[in-house]
Amino acid sequence: MSVFTSIDEALNGIQDGATIMVGGFGLVGIPEKLILGLRDRGVQDLTIISNNCGVDDWGLGLLLQNKQIKKMISSYVGENKEFERQFLSGELEVELVPQGTLAERIRAGGAGIPAFYTPAGVGTPLAEGREVRTFNGKEYLLEMGLTADFSLIKAWKGDKMGNLIYNKTSRNFNPMMAAAGKVTIAEVEELVETGELEPDQIHTPSVYVQRIIQCEKYEKRIERRTVRQA
C-alpha cells in the first residue's frame, strides 16, 4: 500500500480503454478529486461502472463532457442531459442494471464469485438472450460478477496502512467497489497514522486498498436540494 500526495501520481497506470469502478450514490460519497484528476489526464474509451453518472457539470458528468467514457454500466441515469444526448446519438454504450443486481454483481466480483442467479429482471427485456433457470418453481436470471482494472473510492478517514471508515450515507457502493478493483485508489478527508483507527469502526480493511491520498476542499454537492415548506 502506498500513500500519495499527488492526484496524478495516484492515478498512474490508468490508460485508454480501462475499466473503472467509481463509488458514490448520486453525488454522495463520490471521489471528487480523483474524478477531476481522471479528467485532467485525458484518458479515453473508458468503461465506467457506477450507480449513476453524476450531473452535467459535476462528478462523472465531467468525463462525459470530455468524451472520455465509451461505456457506462449503471442503474440510474436520469440527472444528466449530456448522458441522454450521447446515448441517443449512439456515442455512448449503456448497460442498465437493476440497482440491487448491480450492487450484488460488484460484491460477487470482489468475493471471487463469477456468477449468480437473481429473480430481478426475469420476464423483462433485460433477460432477452440470457440464461434463465428455475429453482423451486421460480425463474432466476444468471448475472455475472463485476471486477475492474481500477476502483476509485472516497472515504471519510483512513490510515497509512489503507484501512478506511466511511461517513454515513457515503458508505454506499464504496466498500464493495474497494474489494472488486484490481487496484483500489482511495481518497480520504483525513489521513491518520496506522493504529489510530478503532478496529471495530473500520469498514474497509487495508487488504483491499493499494493507494491512498488525502484531499481537501470538498464541494459535496447535492443533485436536488429539497426543503420543507414553512
Side-chain angles (χ1 to χ4, degrees), residues 194-215:
T194 300
E196 288 189 32
L197 299 181
E198 175 61 41
D200 284 344
Q201 301 301 314
I202 291 171
H203 299 134
T204 292
S206 61
V207 67
Y208 294 120
V209 181
Q210 284 69 50
R211 306 175 189 177
I212 194 168
I213 183 169
Q214 183 178 12
C215 301

Side-chain angles (χ1 to χ4, degrees), residues 32-117:
E32 294 181 17
K33 309 304 182 181
L34 291 174
I35 291 172
L36 288 169
L38 202 58
R39 179 200 62 184
D40 294 342
R41 287 179 71 87
V43 287
Q44 301 291 320
D45 297 327
L46 301 175
T47 294
I48 301 293
I49 303 170
S50 187
N51 181 65
N52 58 291
C53 200
V55 293
D56 285 301
D57 64 344
W58 192 239
L60 289 173
L62 297 174
L63 302 187
L64 273 180
Q65 287 181 351
N66 231 19
K67 304 292 183 65
Q68 292 174 261
I69 302 177
K70 177 182 179 181
K71 179 178 180 179
M72 192 74 201
I73 301 175
S74 60
S75 291
Y76 178 68
V77 296
E79 299 291 344
N80 197 310
K81 292 180 180 179
E82 177 62 14
F83 187 107
E84 177 185 21
R85 189 198 67 76
Q86 289 190 24
F87 173 65
L88 293 177
S89 68
E91 300 172 50
L92 178 68
E93 182 181 351
V94 178
E95 181 180 341
L96 286 176
V97 185
Q99 193 168 83
T101 301
L102 179 64
E104 182 61 11
R105 289 180 68 185
I106 296 168
R107 190 204 67 81
I113 299 170
F116 60 94
Y117 288 95

Side-chain angles (χ1 to χ4, degrees), residues 29 153-176 178 184 186-206 208-209 212-213 218 220:
I153 63 172
K154 161 74 189 317
W156 166 53
K157 185 181 290 189
D159 67 20
K160 293 183 178 179
M161 185 176 284
N163 297 298
L164 304 176
I165 297 175
Y166 306 99
N167 186 29
K168 300 182 175 67
T169 54
S170 66
R171 187 182 174 185
N172 39 57
F173 279 84
N174 281 299
M176 61 192 76
T184 292
E187 65 174 67
V188 298
E189 296 182 45
E190 184 177 347
L191 185 63
V192 301
E193 295 296 328
T194 300
E196 288 189 32
L197 299 181
E198 175 61 41
D200 284 344
Q201 301 301 314
I202 291 171
H203 299 134
T204 292
S206 61
Y208 294 120
V209 181
I212 194 168
I213 183 169
Y218 282 95
K220 298 184 180 180

